[in-house]
Short mmCIF file of all heavy atoms in Angstrom, two decimals:
data_model
loop_
_atom_site.label_atom_id
_atom_site.label_comp_id
_atom_site.label_asym_id
_atom_site.label_seq_id
_atom_site.Cartn_x
_atom_site.Cartn_y
_atom_site.Cartn_z
N LEU A 1 193.64 -48.96 79.34
CA LEU A 1 193.58 -50.40 79.70
C LEU A 1 193.73 -51.17 78.40
O LEU A 1 193.35 -50.77 77.33
CB LEU A 1 192.14 -50.71 80.27
CG LEU A 1 191.76 -49.94 81.52
CD1 LEU A 1 190.33 -50.14 81.85
CD2 LEU A 1 192.65 -50.29 82.69
N LEU A 2 194.27 -52.37 78.53
CA LEU A 2 194.40 -53.26 77.35
C LEU A 2 193.32 -54.30 77.40
O LEU A 2 193.07 -54.94 78.42
CB LEU A 2 195.77 -53.99 77.39
CG LEU A 2 197.01 -53.10 77.33
CD1 LEU A 2 198.33 -53.93 77.41
CD2 LEU A 2 197.06 -52.34 76.01
N ASP A 3 192.62 -54.45 76.25
CA ASP A 3 191.52 -55.46 76.14
C ASP A 3 192.07 -56.80 76.20
O ASP A 3 193.18 -57.08 75.61
CB ASP A 3 190.80 -55.18 74.84
CG ASP A 3 189.70 -56.21 74.59
OD1 ASP A 3 188.83 -56.37 75.46
OD2 ASP A 3 189.86 -56.93 73.50
N ASP A 4 191.43 -57.72 76.85
CA ASP A 4 191.80 -59.08 76.92
C ASP A 4 190.51 -59.86 76.43
O ASP A 4 189.57 -60.00 77.15
CB ASP A 4 192.13 -59.57 78.27
CG ASP A 4 192.53 -61.04 78.44
OD1 ASP A 4 192.36 -61.76 77.45
OD2 ASP A 4 193.04 -61.44 79.50
N PRO A 5 190.56 -60.46 75.19
CA PRO A 5 189.44 -61.04 74.65
C PRO A 5 188.96 -62.30 75.53
O PRO A 5 187.84 -62.72 75.33
CB PRO A 5 189.92 -61.57 73.29
CG PRO A 5 191.04 -60.68 72.94
CD PRO A 5 191.73 -60.38 74.26
N ALA A 6 189.81 -62.76 76.35
CA ALA A 6 189.36 -63.94 77.12
C ALA A 6 188.41 -63.51 78.34
O ALA A 6 187.82 -64.32 78.99
CB ALA A 6 190.58 -64.62 77.80
N LEU A 7 188.40 -62.21 78.67
CA LEU A 7 187.55 -61.78 79.75
C LEU A 7 186.12 -61.45 79.27
O LEU A 7 185.90 -60.45 78.50
CB LEU A 7 188.18 -60.54 80.46
CG LEU A 7 189.50 -60.76 81.04
CD1 LEU A 7 189.99 -59.35 81.45
CD2 LEU A 7 189.37 -61.69 82.15
N ALA A 8 185.17 -62.21 79.71
CA ALA A 8 183.70 -61.96 79.30
C ALA A 8 183.30 -60.84 80.21
O ALA A 8 183.56 -60.71 81.34
CB ALA A 8 182.97 -63.25 79.42
N GLY A 9 182.52 -59.95 79.54
CA GLY A 9 181.90 -58.84 80.28
C GLY A 9 182.82 -57.76 80.68
O GLY A 9 182.46 -56.89 81.59
N ALA A 10 183.93 -57.63 80.00
CA ALA A 10 184.90 -56.58 80.25
C ALA A 10 184.38 -55.23 80.08
O ALA A 10 184.68 -54.29 80.90
CB ALA A 10 186.13 -56.79 79.41
N GLU A 11 183.49 -55.05 79.15
CA GLU A 11 183.00 -53.67 78.84
C GLU A 11 182.13 -53.22 80.07
O GLU A 11 182.24 -52.12 80.38
CB GLU A 11 182.14 -53.56 77.55
CG GLU A 11 181.00 -54.52 77.40
CD GLU A 11 181.32 -55.99 77.09
OE1 GLU A 11 182.48 -56.26 76.74
OE2 GLU A 11 180.44 -56.77 77.18
N ALA A 12 181.34 -54.05 80.68
CA ALA A 12 180.61 -53.75 81.84
C ALA A 12 181.49 -53.35 83.03
O ALA A 12 181.25 -52.47 83.74
CB ALA A 12 179.67 -54.83 82.23
N ALA A 13 182.60 -54.11 83.11
CA ALA A 13 183.55 -53.88 84.28
C ALA A 13 184.19 -52.51 84.13
O ALA A 13 184.27 -51.72 84.99
CB ALA A 13 184.64 -54.99 84.30
N VAL A 14 184.66 -52.17 82.80
CA VAL A 14 185.24 -50.91 82.62
C VAL A 14 184.21 -49.77 82.75
O VAL A 14 184.55 -48.73 83.32
CB VAL A 14 185.84 -50.92 81.19
CG1 VAL A 14 186.44 -49.49 80.85
CG2 VAL A 14 186.99 -51.96 81.08
N ALA A 15 183.03 -49.99 82.27
CA ALA A 15 181.99 -48.96 82.38
C ALA A 15 181.68 -48.65 83.87
O ALA A 15 181.20 -47.59 84.16
CB ALA A 15 180.77 -49.37 81.62
N SER A 16 181.84 -49.64 84.78
CA SER A 16 181.52 -49.42 86.17
C SER A 16 182.62 -48.71 86.99
O SER A 16 182.45 -48.40 88.08
CB SER A 16 181.22 -50.71 86.86
OG SER A 16 182.36 -51.54 86.92
N LEU A 17 183.81 -48.43 86.35
CA LEU A 17 184.85 -47.75 86.96
C LEU A 17 184.40 -46.39 87.42
O LEU A 17 183.57 -45.75 86.77
CB LEU A 17 186.07 -47.60 86.10
CG LEU A 17 186.78 -48.96 85.78
CD1 LEU A 17 187.91 -48.65 84.72
CD2 LEU A 17 187.45 -49.56 87.05
N PRO A 18 184.86 -45.83 88.57
CA PRO A 18 184.50 -44.51 88.95
C PRO A 18 185.22 -43.34 88.30
O PRO A 18 185.10 -42.24 88.77
CB PRO A 18 184.81 -44.58 90.53
CG PRO A 18 186.02 -45.45 90.56
CD PRO A 18 185.75 -46.45 89.56
N PHE A 19 185.91 -43.68 87.22
CA PHE A 19 186.50 -42.63 86.43
C PHE A 19 186.49 -43.06 84.89
O PHE A 19 186.28 -44.25 84.67
CB PHE A 19 188.03 -42.44 86.92
CG PHE A 19 188.69 -43.84 86.93
CD1 PHE A 19 189.36 -44.36 85.79
CD2 PHE A 19 188.84 -44.46 88.15
CE1 PHE A 19 189.98 -45.58 85.85
CE2 PHE A 19 189.45 -45.69 88.15
CZ PHE A 19 190.15 -46.27 87.03
N PRO A 20 186.56 -42.09 84.03
CA PRO A 20 186.57 -42.49 82.54
C PRO A 20 187.83 -43.31 82.22
O PRO A 20 188.89 -43.07 82.71
CB PRO A 20 186.55 -41.19 81.87
CG PRO A 20 186.90 -40.14 82.87
CD PRO A 20 186.70 -40.67 84.23
N GLY A 21 187.56 -44.26 81.34
CA GLY A 21 188.70 -45.06 80.94
C GLY A 21 188.66 -45.33 79.49
O GLY A 21 187.63 -45.12 78.78
N SER A 22 189.74 -45.65 78.85
CA SER A 22 189.88 -46.04 77.41
C SER A 22 190.45 -47.40 77.42
O SER A 22 191.24 -47.85 78.26
CB SER A 22 190.87 -45.07 76.73
OG SER A 22 190.46 -43.77 76.85
N VAL A 23 190.03 -48.13 76.43
CA VAL A 23 190.50 -49.54 76.21
C VAL A 23 191.19 -49.65 74.85
O VAL A 23 190.61 -49.26 73.80
CB VAL A 23 189.32 -50.56 76.31
CG1 VAL A 23 189.77 -51.96 76.04
CG2 VAL A 23 188.73 -50.42 77.64
N ALA A 24 192.37 -50.21 74.86
CA ALA A 24 193.09 -50.41 73.59
C ALA A 24 192.87 -51.92 73.19
O ALA A 24 192.97 -52.81 73.93
CB ALA A 24 194.53 -50.27 73.84
N ILE A 25 192.46 -52.01 71.93
CA ILE A 25 192.06 -53.32 71.29
C ILE A 25 193.14 -53.70 70.24
O ILE A 25 193.53 -52.87 69.46
CB ILE A 25 190.69 -53.32 70.70
CG1 ILE A 25 189.63 -52.98 71.79
CG2 ILE A 25 190.34 -54.51 69.97
CD1 ILE A 25 188.29 -52.76 71.23
N ASP A 26 193.44 -54.99 70.21
CA ASP A 26 194.29 -55.50 69.08
C ASP A 26 193.49 -55.71 67.91
O ASP A 26 192.58 -56.58 67.91
CB ASP A 26 195.00 -56.81 69.64
CG ASP A 26 195.79 -57.43 68.56
OD1 ASP A 26 195.95 -56.97 67.46
OD2 ASP A 26 196.48 -58.54 68.87
N PRO A 27 193.81 -54.96 66.88
CA PRO A 27 192.93 -55.05 65.57
C PRO A 27 193.14 -56.40 64.88
O PRO A 27 192.27 -56.71 64.08
CB PRO A 27 193.45 -53.88 64.78
CG PRO A 27 194.75 -53.60 65.19
CD PRO A 27 194.89 -53.94 66.66
N THR A 28 194.15 -57.18 65.28
CA THR A 28 194.29 -58.50 64.57
C THR A 28 193.53 -59.56 65.30
O THR A 28 193.45 -60.71 64.82
CB THR A 28 195.82 -58.88 64.57
OG1 THR A 28 196.27 -59.10 65.88
CG2 THR A 28 196.59 -57.81 63.80
N ALA A 29 192.95 -59.27 66.43
CA ALA A 29 192.11 -60.32 67.11
C ALA A 29 190.85 -60.59 66.18
O ALA A 29 190.37 -59.69 65.54
CB ALA A 29 191.63 -59.76 68.50
N PRO A 30 190.50 -61.86 66.22
CA PRO A 30 189.33 -62.33 65.36
C PRO A 30 188.09 -61.55 65.56
O PRO A 30 187.40 -61.34 64.63
CB PRO A 30 189.19 -63.76 65.64
CG PRO A 30 190.40 -64.20 66.38
CD PRO A 30 190.95 -63.04 66.99
N ASP A 31 187.81 -61.08 66.77
CA ASP A 31 186.58 -60.44 67.06
C ASP A 31 186.77 -58.92 67.40
O ASP A 31 185.97 -58.34 68.19
CB ASP A 31 185.78 -61.09 68.08
CG ASP A 31 186.59 -61.23 69.40
OD1 ASP A 31 187.74 -60.87 69.51
OD2 ASP A 31 185.93 -61.52 70.43
N ALA A 32 187.81 -58.32 66.89
CA ALA A 32 188.22 -56.96 67.26
C ALA A 32 187.04 -55.95 66.97
O ALA A 32 186.74 -55.17 67.88
CB ALA A 32 189.45 -56.52 66.50
N ALA A 33 186.40 -56.01 65.92
CA ALA A 33 185.34 -55.14 65.54
C ALA A 33 184.16 -55.30 66.45
O ALA A 33 183.56 -54.29 66.92
CB ALA A 33 184.93 -55.27 64.15
N GLU A 34 183.87 -56.45 66.78
CA GLU A 34 182.73 -56.71 67.68
C GLU A 34 182.98 -56.25 69.14
O GLU A 34 182.24 -55.71 69.81
CB GLU A 34 182.39 -58.22 67.69
CG GLU A 34 181.74 -58.76 66.45
CD GLU A 34 182.79 -59.09 65.37
OE1 GLU A 34 183.96 -59.10 65.66
OE2 GLU A 34 182.36 -59.30 64.18
N ARG A 35 184.26 -56.42 69.52
CA ARG A 35 184.69 -55.99 70.89
C ARG A 35 184.63 -54.41 70.95
O ARG A 35 184.22 -53.86 71.85
CB ARG A 35 186.03 -56.51 71.26
CG ARG A 35 185.95 -58.04 71.35
CD ARG A 35 187.20 -58.62 71.91
NE ARG A 35 187.45 -58.28 73.28
CZ ARG A 35 186.82 -58.68 74.35
NH1 ARG A 35 185.84 -59.54 74.20
NH2 ARG A 35 187.15 -58.30 75.60
N MET A 36 185.04 -53.80 69.73
CA MET A 36 184.99 -52.36 69.74
C MET A 36 183.51 -51.87 69.84
O MET A 36 183.25 -50.96 70.64
CB MET A 36 185.60 -51.82 68.43
CG MET A 36 185.46 -50.33 68.20
SD MET A 36 185.68 -49.81 66.49
CE MET A 36 184.30 -50.55 65.69
N ASP A 37 182.65 -52.51 69.15
CA ASP A 37 181.28 -52.21 69.21
C ASP A 37 180.66 -52.33 70.65
O ASP A 37 179.96 -51.43 71.07
CB ASP A 37 180.42 -53.05 68.21
CG ASP A 37 180.67 -52.72 66.80
OD1 ASP A 37 181.16 -51.64 66.47
OD2 ASP A 37 180.35 -53.57 65.94
N ALA A 38 181.07 -53.39 71.32
CA ALA A 38 180.58 -53.65 72.73
C ALA A 38 181.06 -52.50 73.63
O ALA A 38 180.35 -52.00 74.39
CB ALA A 38 181.06 -55.00 73.20
N TYR A 39 182.34 -52.11 73.51
CA TYR A 39 182.95 -51.13 74.35
C TYR A 39 182.21 -49.78 74.04
O TYR A 39 181.83 -48.95 74.94
CB TYR A 39 184.40 -50.91 74.15
CG TYR A 39 185.21 -52.01 74.96
CD1 TYR A 39 185.94 -52.98 74.28
CD2 TYR A 39 185.19 -52.06 76.30
CE1 TYR A 39 186.72 -53.87 74.91
CE2 TYR A 39 185.89 -52.91 77.07
CZ TYR A 39 186.69 -53.92 76.31
OH TYR A 39 187.40 -54.84 76.99
N ARG A 40 182.05 -49.44 72.76
CA ARG A 40 181.48 -48.25 72.33
C ARG A 40 180.04 -48.10 72.79
O ARG A 40 179.58 -47.10 73.21
CB ARG A 40 181.58 -48.03 70.80
CG ARG A 40 182.96 -47.85 70.24
CD ARG A 40 183.64 -46.66 70.73
NE ARG A 40 182.87 -45.50 70.36
CZ ARG A 40 182.55 -44.48 71.15
NH1 ARG A 40 182.93 -44.48 72.43
NH2 ARG A 40 181.86 -43.49 70.69
N GLU A 41 179.32 -49.16 72.74
CA GLU A 41 177.95 -49.18 73.29
C GLU A 41 177.86 -48.94 74.74
O GLU A 41 176.84 -48.43 75.19
CB GLU A 41 177.27 -50.55 72.87
CG GLU A 41 176.92 -50.69 71.38
CD GLU A 41 176.32 -51.99 70.99
OE1 GLU A 41 175.89 -52.74 71.91
OE2 GLU A 41 176.30 -52.30 69.87
N ALA A 42 178.94 -49.37 75.42
CA ALA A 42 178.98 -49.09 76.87
C ALA A 42 179.47 -47.65 77.17
O ALA A 42 179.71 -47.28 78.34
CB ALA A 42 179.85 -50.10 77.52
N GLY A 43 179.74 -46.89 76.12
CA GLY A 43 180.23 -45.46 76.31
C GLY A 43 181.73 -45.42 76.57
O GLY A 43 182.19 -44.43 77.08
N ILE A 44 182.46 -46.43 76.24
CA ILE A 44 183.91 -46.43 76.47
C ILE A 44 184.69 -46.11 75.18
O ILE A 44 184.43 -46.65 74.19
CB ILE A 44 184.29 -47.81 76.97
CG1 ILE A 44 183.53 -48.20 78.25
CG2 ILE A 44 185.80 -47.98 77.20
CD1 ILE A 44 183.53 -49.60 78.67
N GLU A 45 185.69 -45.19 75.44
CA GLU A 45 186.55 -44.81 74.26
C GLU A 45 187.51 -46.01 74.01
O GLU A 45 188.04 -46.69 74.81
CB GLU A 45 187.37 -43.64 74.80
CG GLU A 45 188.30 -42.99 73.80
CD GLU A 45 188.92 -41.82 74.37
OE1 GLU A 45 189.88 -41.93 75.15
OE2 GLU A 45 188.42 -40.64 74.06
N VAL A 46 187.64 -46.16 72.64
CA VAL A 46 188.53 -47.32 72.19
C VAL A 46 189.73 -46.70 71.48
O VAL A 46 189.71 -45.79 70.70
CB VAL A 46 187.71 -48.12 71.13
CG1 VAL A 46 188.56 -49.17 70.54
CG2 VAL A 46 186.47 -48.83 71.83
N LEU A 47 190.88 -47.36 71.73
CA LEU A 47 192.14 -47.17 71.13
C LEU A 47 192.56 -48.43 70.28
O LEU A 47 192.14 -49.51 70.60
CB LEU A 47 193.29 -46.89 72.13
CG LEU A 47 192.96 -45.80 73.16
CD1 LEU A 47 194.06 -45.80 74.27
CD2 LEU A 47 192.84 -44.43 72.56
N ALA A 48 193.33 -48.22 69.24
CA ALA A 48 193.74 -49.29 68.45
C ALA A 48 195.26 -49.59 68.75
O ALA A 48 196.08 -48.66 68.72
CB ALA A 48 193.61 -48.98 66.97
N LEU A 49 195.53 -50.85 69.07
CA LEU A 49 196.94 -51.25 69.35
C LEU A 49 197.63 -51.31 68.02
O LEU A 49 197.11 -51.94 67.04
CB LEU A 49 197.06 -52.51 70.10
CG LEU A 49 196.58 -52.51 71.52
CD1 LEU A 49 196.65 -53.95 72.03
CD2 LEU A 49 197.44 -51.61 72.30
N VAL A 50 198.83 -50.80 67.94
CA VAL A 50 199.64 -50.87 66.75
C VAL A 50 201.08 -51.14 67.14
O VAL A 50 201.60 -50.60 68.16
CB VAL A 50 199.63 -49.42 65.93
CG1 VAL A 50 200.54 -49.52 64.75
CG2 VAL A 50 198.29 -49.13 65.57
N GLU A 51 201.79 -51.96 66.36
CA GLU A 51 203.18 -52.18 66.66
C GLU A 51 203.98 -52.02 65.35
O GLU A 51 203.99 -52.85 64.50
CB GLU A 51 203.42 -53.56 67.26
CG GLU A 51 204.85 -53.74 67.76
CD GLU A 51 204.99 -54.90 68.65
OE1 GLU A 51 204.01 -55.59 69.00
OE2 GLU A 51 206.12 -55.24 68.94
N LEU A 52 204.54 -50.82 65.23
CA LEU A 52 205.34 -50.60 64.02
C LEU A 52 206.71 -51.17 64.14
O LEU A 52 207.30 -51.10 65.20
CB LEU A 52 205.55 -49.02 63.78
CG LEU A 52 204.19 -48.29 63.50
CD1 LEU A 52 204.46 -46.76 63.38
CD2 LEU A 52 203.53 -48.80 62.26
N PRO A 53 207.21 -51.80 63.14
CA PRO A 53 208.54 -52.45 63.20
C PRO A 53 209.62 -51.35 63.37
O PRO A 53 209.46 -50.20 62.88
CB PRO A 53 208.73 -53.19 61.92
CG PRO A 53 207.74 -52.57 60.92
CD PRO A 53 206.62 -51.98 61.80
N ALA A 54 210.74 -51.81 63.96
CA ALA A 54 211.83 -50.86 64.06
C ALA A 54 212.33 -50.42 62.69
O ALA A 54 212.35 -51.22 61.74
CB ALA A 54 213.06 -51.58 64.80
N GLY A 55 212.61 -49.16 62.50
CA GLY A 55 212.98 -48.64 61.31
C GLY A 55 211.86 -48.44 60.26
O GLY A 55 212.14 -48.19 59.03
N ALA A 56 210.64 -48.47 60.76
CA ALA A 56 209.48 -48.15 59.83
C ALA A 56 209.60 -46.83 59.25
O ALA A 56 209.96 -45.81 59.90
CB ALA A 56 208.22 -48.35 60.61
N GLN A 57 209.39 -46.67 57.98
CA GLN A 57 209.34 -45.48 57.18
C GLN A 57 207.92 -44.85 57.33
O GLN A 57 206.99 -45.53 57.59
CB GLN A 57 209.73 -45.69 55.79
CG GLN A 57 211.12 -46.26 55.63
CD GLN A 57 212.20 -45.28 56.22
OE1 GLN A 57 212.24 -44.09 55.85
NE2 GLN A 57 213.05 -45.86 57.11
N PRO A 58 207.79 -43.60 56.92
CA PRO A 58 206.36 -42.94 56.98
C PRO A 58 205.45 -43.73 56.16
O PRO A 58 204.25 -43.89 56.57
CB PRO A 58 206.69 -41.57 56.45
CG PRO A 58 208.11 -41.27 56.82
CD PRO A 58 208.86 -42.63 56.65
N ALA A 59 205.82 -44.30 55.04
CA ALA A 59 204.82 -45.08 54.17
C ALA A 59 204.44 -46.28 54.94
O ALA A 59 203.27 -46.74 54.79
CB ALA A 59 205.49 -45.40 52.89
N ASP A 60 205.31 -46.95 55.66
CA ASP A 60 204.99 -48.17 56.43
C ASP A 60 203.97 -47.70 57.50
O ASP A 60 202.95 -48.57 57.71
CB ASP A 60 206.23 -48.75 57.18
CG ASP A 60 207.28 -49.08 56.12
OD1 ASP A 60 206.97 -49.56 55.05
OD2 ASP A 60 208.48 -48.96 56.45
N ALA A 61 204.17 -46.65 58.14
CA ALA A 61 203.17 -46.25 59.14
C ALA A 61 201.85 -45.98 58.56
O ALA A 61 200.78 -46.31 59.15
CB ALA A 61 203.76 -45.00 59.89
N ALA A 62 201.86 -45.33 57.43
CA ALA A 62 200.60 -44.99 56.77
C ALA A 62 199.79 -46.22 56.38
O ALA A 62 198.56 -46.33 56.67
CB ALA A 62 200.83 -44.17 55.44
N VAL A 63 200.48 -47.18 55.92
CA VAL A 63 199.81 -48.50 55.57
C VAL A 63 199.29 -49.19 56.73
O VAL A 63 198.17 -49.63 56.75
CB VAL A 63 200.76 -49.40 54.77
CG1 VAL A 63 200.17 -50.82 54.60
CG2 VAL A 63 201.09 -48.81 53.41
N ALA A 64 200.12 -49.19 57.85
CA ALA A 64 199.71 -49.86 59.08
C ALA A 64 198.47 -49.22 59.66
O ALA A 64 197.49 -49.78 60.02
CB ALA A 64 200.83 -49.86 60.07
N TYR A 65 198.52 -47.84 59.75
CA TYR A 65 197.34 -47.12 60.33
C TYR A 65 196.14 -47.22 59.58
O TYR A 65 195.05 -47.35 60.04
CB TYR A 65 197.74 -45.66 60.60
CG TYR A 65 198.69 -45.51 61.73
CD1 TYR A 65 199.84 -44.55 61.59
CD2 TYR A 65 198.59 -46.12 62.88
CE1 TYR A 65 200.72 -44.38 62.63
CE2 TYR A 65 199.51 -45.95 64.02
CZ TYR A 65 200.51 -45.09 63.77
OH TYR A 65 201.37 -44.86 64.84
N GLU A 66 196.33 -47.24 58.26
CA GLU A 66 195.07 -47.41 57.37
C GLU A 66 194.41 -48.73 57.63
O GLU A 66 193.17 -48.86 57.75
CB GLU A 66 195.52 -47.36 55.85
CG GLU A 66 194.43 -47.40 54.91
CD GLU A 66 194.90 -47.16 53.44
OE1 GLU A 66 195.55 -46.15 53.17
OE2 GLU A 66 194.63 -48.10 52.62
N GLY A 67 195.22 -49.82 57.72
CA GLY A 67 194.58 -51.13 58.09
C GLY A 67 193.94 -51.17 59.36
O GLY A 67 192.88 -51.73 59.57
N VAL A 68 194.64 -50.59 60.42
CA VAL A 68 194.18 -50.65 61.77
C VAL A 68 192.87 -49.88 61.85
O VAL A 68 191.82 -50.35 62.46
CB VAL A 68 195.17 -50.04 62.80
CG1 VAL A 68 194.60 -49.68 64.07
CG2 VAL A 68 196.39 -50.94 62.87
N PHE A 69 192.68 -48.69 61.24
CA PHE A 69 191.50 -47.86 61.34
C PHE A 69 190.48 -48.40 60.48
O PHE A 69 189.26 -48.06 60.58
CB PHE A 69 191.76 -46.43 61.30
CG PHE A 69 192.51 -45.76 62.39
CD1 PHE A 69 193.79 -45.43 62.32
CD2 PHE A 69 191.90 -45.77 63.63
CE1 PHE A 69 194.52 -44.90 63.43
CE2 PHE A 69 192.58 -45.27 64.72
CZ PHE A 69 193.88 -44.83 64.61
N ALA A 70 190.83 -49.25 59.48
CA ALA A 70 189.72 -49.91 58.66
C ALA A 70 189.02 -50.98 59.49
O ALA A 70 187.84 -51.17 59.44
CB ALA A 70 190.32 -50.44 57.38
N THR A 71 189.83 -51.68 60.37
CA THR A 71 189.28 -52.68 61.23
C THR A 71 188.61 -52.12 62.41
O THR A 71 187.52 -52.52 62.83
CB THR A 71 190.38 -53.55 61.77
OG1 THR A 71 191.06 -54.16 60.62
CG2 THR A 71 189.83 -54.66 62.67
N LEU A 72 189.12 -50.98 62.96
CA LEU A 72 188.50 -50.29 64.14
C LEU A 72 188.23 -48.85 63.87
O LEU A 72 188.86 -47.94 64.35
CB LEU A 72 189.48 -50.45 65.36
CG LEU A 72 189.94 -51.85 65.76
CD1 LEU A 72 191.01 -51.82 66.83
CD2 LEU A 72 188.68 -52.63 66.36
N PRO A 73 187.22 -48.63 63.01
CA PRO A 73 187.01 -47.23 62.54
C PRO A 73 186.47 -46.30 63.61
O PRO A 73 186.67 -45.09 63.43
CB PRO A 73 185.86 -47.44 61.52
CG PRO A 73 185.14 -48.65 61.92
CD PRO A 73 186.24 -49.54 62.51
N GLU A 74 186.03 -46.72 64.75
CA GLU A 74 185.62 -45.88 65.85
C GLU A 74 186.69 -45.60 66.89
O GLU A 74 186.44 -44.94 67.90
CB GLU A 74 184.27 -46.35 66.50
CG GLU A 74 183.15 -46.25 65.53
CD GLU A 74 181.88 -46.65 66.26
OE1 GLU A 74 181.70 -46.29 67.46
OE2 GLU A 74 181.04 -47.24 65.55
N ALA A 75 187.86 -46.14 66.70
CA ALA A 75 188.99 -45.91 67.60
C ALA A 75 189.36 -44.41 67.52
O ALA A 75 189.45 -43.86 66.39
CB ALA A 75 190.16 -46.78 67.23
N VAL A 76 189.58 -43.84 68.61
CA VAL A 76 189.92 -42.43 68.59
C VAL A 76 191.45 -42.13 68.54
O VAL A 76 191.84 -40.95 68.32
CB VAL A 76 189.33 -41.72 69.86
CG1 VAL A 76 187.86 -41.82 69.86
CG2 VAL A 76 189.96 -42.25 71.18
N ALA A 77 192.30 -43.18 68.73
CA ALA A 77 193.72 -42.97 68.67
C ALA A 77 194.39 -44.35 68.50
O ALA A 77 193.74 -45.42 68.59
CB ALA A 77 194.18 -42.33 69.97
N ALA A 78 195.67 -44.27 68.20
CA ALA A 78 196.39 -45.53 68.12
C ALA A 78 197.42 -45.57 69.21
O ALA A 78 198.06 -44.45 69.61
CB ALA A 78 197.28 -45.52 66.76
N LEU A 79 197.74 -46.71 69.82
CA LEU A 79 198.66 -46.91 70.85
C LEU A 79 199.79 -47.76 70.27
O LEU A 79 199.59 -48.90 70.07
CB LEU A 79 198.02 -47.50 72.09
CG LEU A 79 198.92 -47.79 73.25
CD1 LEU A 79 199.58 -46.54 73.82
CD2 LEU A 79 198.08 -48.48 74.36
N ASP A 80 200.92 -47.14 70.07
CA ASP A 80 202.00 -47.84 69.55
C ASP A 80 202.77 -48.64 70.53
O ASP A 80 203.29 -48.03 71.53
CB ASP A 80 203.01 -46.87 68.77
CG ASP A 80 204.13 -47.56 68.07
OD1 ASP A 80 204.19 -48.80 67.99
OD2 ASP A 80 205.11 -46.83 67.62
N LEU A 81 202.90 -49.92 70.40
CA LEU A 81 203.65 -50.75 71.43
C LEU A 81 205.08 -51.01 71.00
O LEU A 81 205.74 -51.68 71.69
CB LEU A 81 202.86 -52.13 71.49
CG LEU A 81 201.51 -51.98 72.10
CD1 LEU A 81 200.80 -53.34 72.17
CD2 LEU A 81 201.49 -51.35 73.48
N GLY A 82 205.50 -50.42 69.86
CA GLY A 82 206.80 -50.68 69.32
C GLY A 82 207.87 -50.00 70.19
O GLY A 82 207.72 -49.23 71.08
#
């Protein structure tokens, strides 16, 4: 699932699903870390959204992932939208 910061109480809605779910959060959102914490407290797995530019080199990916996981350290994976 993709997180929508405009939806209040999203973590409770996801936690009430009858199956396990993961939520991908945009690390550039102003409250990304707080949203991650709310989902994690509800027992929901968090993914980090990443969009690598076309033609990105391994060093570019390393820098991008380092920044993403610094913002969302409890994310279990990255979801590349590129």
Side-chain angles (χ1 to χ4, degrees):
L1 303 171
L2 296 176
D3 176 57
D4 181 350
L7 298 175
E11 60 279 349
V14 175
S16 71
L17 293 172
F19 51 84
S22 299
V23 176
I25 298 175
D26 179 355
T28 64
D31 61 347
E34 291 81 10
R35 296 190 65 75
M36 176 194 66
D37 290 341
Y39 282 115
R40 294 296 302 130
E41 287 176 18
I44 300 163
E45 185 175 76
V46 171
L47 308 171
L49 290 176
V50 178
E51 189 165 352
L52 297 175
Q57 299 298 308
D60 301 324
V63 169
Y65 288 136
E66 186 176 301
V68 165
F69 289 111
T71 302
L72 300 174
E74 291 187 36
V76 298
L79 178 61
D80 181 12
L81 298 178

